[in-house]
Amino acid sequence: MCGIMGFIGHPKSAKASKLSYQLASKLLSETVVRGSHATGAYALLPPKEGEDKNRCFIFKLDAASPQYVKTKPWKGIQGSNPFLLLGHCRFYTHGSPQDHTNNHPHVSDDHRLALIHNGVVTGYEGLKKTFACKGEC
């Protein structure tokens, strides 16, 4: 079982950012009924002043979502105008919640791609071969 939430906001609206953070915290907390062993999130944040690349936030924790949203890392994105956020909580069926290999989100090495899914992906070896990046993506 998994709980999945997400939203897309506006990177330039401070009012929308505050609402988005509050909504995301509430949605993520409510997903606890779908899994309480591990929680994780991926967020895209606008560039800092003078920079041109978006920043990302990735944080996984072996705890239920109501505890997750009280942590310093999660609270740290408040006010940073997240404009895309994916959240996931899970009841572990494969692997330990302390081993973040199976905890979501799954993120590419360059942090440009994040994946959250429900259930177990079987036959992933074939998918990996089909979709693996060969050279520059």
Side-chain angles (χ1 to χ4, degrees), residues 2 8 16 25 40 42 45 53 61 66 71 88-89 93 96 102 104 123:
C2 299
I8 298 173
S25 295
Y42 173 87
L45 313 170
K53 290 190 176 186
L61 186 65
T71 63
H88 183 274
C89 70
T93 55
S96 164
N102 289 312
H104 299 222

Side-chain angles (χ1 to χ4, degrees), residues 63-103:
S65 51
Q67 288 76 40
Y68 181 93
V69 298
K70 294 177 183 174
T71 63
K72 188 174 182 176
W74 176 256
K75 289 181 176 185
I77 68 167
Q78 186 174 11
S80 59
N81 295 346
F83 60 92
L84 179 134
L85 192 131
L86 300 172
H88 183 274
C89 70
R90 79 181 189 106
F91 176 81
Y92 78 94
T93 55
H94 289 73
S96 164
Q98 291 82 23
D99 175 8
H100 292 309
T101 303
N102 289 312
N103 295 344

Side-chain angles (χ1 to χ4, degrees), residues 124-135:
Y124 71 89
E125 295 90 355
L127 290 169
K128 187 175 180 180
K129 286 179 186 175
T130 301
F131 295 106
C133 177
K134 307 249 188 300

Side-chain angles (χ1 to χ4, degrees), residues 11 14 17 23 38 56-57 59 84-85 87 98 118-120 127-128 133 136:
S17 175
L23 178 62
C56 71
F57 165 87
F59 179 52
L84 179 134
L85 192 131
Q98 291 82 23
N118 192 12
V120 176
L127 290 169
K128 187 175 180 180
C133 177
E136 189 173 324

Side-chain angles (χ1 to χ4, degrees), residues 6-29:
F7 75 86
I8 298 173
H10 192 281
K12 304 220 187 252
S13 171
K15 184 178 180 182
S17 175
K18 183 177 180 182
L19 178 62
S20 297
Y21 174 81
Q22 291 169 346
L23 178 62
S25 295
K26 176 76 171 154
L27 287 170
L28 199 51
S29 291

